[in-house]
Amino acid sequence: MKNIFLILIFSFGATLLFGQKEDARIINGAPAPFHWFDHLGPNLGVTAFLPYEDKGLGAFIGPEFGLNLYMRNRAHARTGPAYFRVYAQAALLRSQLQDTTSMLSSSLGVEFSFEDRIKRAVFVPFWGLEYGGIQRSDFEKARSRAAFILGLNLLHTRQVIWRVRGAYSYGFGANFEEFSGIYMQTTLSFRFW
C-alpha cells in the first residue's frame, strides 16, 4: 500500500512540474518546441508554363506535386517575415498544341511574406526565389533554371494555404529561349499536424 501511495505521489508531482514548465513557457513568450512534423506538408496544384519562344508548342499545362520542407506561419513575428516557406516541387506539363511534347520541371524554393505581422486570413502577398531543372521530351539534356516569384495567398490559415503565383524563369545553357518563360501556378498547401 505504501508503494502504491508513493507511485501516485511521484506521478502526480511529475504532472504538476510539467504543467508549471508549460505555463512558464507560455507566460514568458518562449517559442514552442520544434517538431519537423509541424512543418512538413504536401502541396497540390496546377502549373502553366509559357515559353519565351514556343516554336509552335504553345503553353505547357499540368499537375504539380510538392512538399513543404519547412513552413513558418506566425501572426505576430517579432523579426523577419511572418510567412516563410522552404519547399520542393515537381510538375509534369504537356504541350497544348502537340500531344507528343511534354516537360518535367522540378525545383527547390523559398518564399517570404512582405509583412512581419499577418492578422488576416486572406490576400497575403509574398515573394520568392526558386532554382531547379527542366527537361523536355524533345531535348536530350536537361537544363537548369532560376526564377523570381511574386504571389498572393488567397486563403492563409494555419492548416491550409491557397496561393496563386507568377514567376519569370530563366533557363541556362543552349536553347535558353525555349526553356525561359513565365510560370503561373495555383496550389494548395496542407498541414495535418
Side-chain angles (χ1 to χ4, degrees):
M1 181 73 171
K2 183 178 178 182
N3 290 338
I4 294 173
F5 182 69
L6 288 174
I7 290 171
L8 288 174
I9 287 177
F10 284 123
S11 299
F12 184 67
T15 304
L16 284 177
L17 289 175
F18 178 73
Q20 289 177 349
K21 180 181 174 185
E22 287 299 304
D23 289 343
R25 183 186 65 76
I26 292 168
I27 290 169
N28 293 328
F34 181 83
H35 299 290
W36 274 110
F37 288 117
D38 289 343
H39 303 284
L40 293 175
N43 299 316
L44 301 171
V46 176
T47 298
F49 174 62
L50 306 166
Y52 178 74
E53 187 175 312
D54 67 359
K55 295 198 174 177
L57 296 175
F60 289 82
I61 298 175
E64 175 188 314
F65 306 96
L67 180 68
N68 293 327
L69 303 176
Y70 176 79
M71 186 165 64
R72 181 177 72 188
N73 186 4
R74 299 186 300 180
H76 303 288
R78 291 188 182 136
T79 59
Y83 165 69
F84 173 73
R85 181 173 82 109
V86 179
Y87 60 91
Q89 68 184 17
L92 183 58
L93 311 173
R94 295 194 59 85
S95 169
Q96 296 302 295
L97 298 180
Q98 285 188 7
D99 292 338
T100 58
T101 306
S102 60
M103 178 183 293
L104 175 65
S105 172
S106 59
S107 60
L108 290 171
V110 293
E111 292 176 352
F112 307 89
S113 65
F114 287 103
E115 303 161 83
D116 60 353
R117 288 182 168 81
I118 299 173
K119 297 182 179 178
R120 61 189 182 282
V122 294
F123 303 122
V124 177
F126 64 88
W127 66 278
L129 300 170
E130 201 172 83
Y131 183 79
I134 191 167
Q135 171 69 46
R136 238 174 59 188
S137 60
D138 54 344
F139 282 90
E140 290 181 13
K141 290 186 177 181
R143 304 289 191 269
S144 58
R145 67 178 187 88
F148 178 74
I149 301 161
L150 288 175
L152 187 66
N153 289 337
L154 299 175
L155 176 65
H156 183 95
T157 67
R158 188 181 187 316
Q159 299 301 114
V160 177
I161 295 178
W162 175 28
R163 72 180 59 79
V164 291
R165 309 181 331 154
Y168 184 80
S169 178
Y170 182 81
F172 299 103
N175 304 101
F176 73 93
E177 67 279 350
E178 295 181 49
F179 291 93
S180 300
I182 296 173
Y183 274 89
M184 292 180 288
Q185 301 166 319
T186 180
T187 56
L188 282 170
S189 288
F190 301 99
R191 291 172 70 178
F192 298 113
W193 301 278

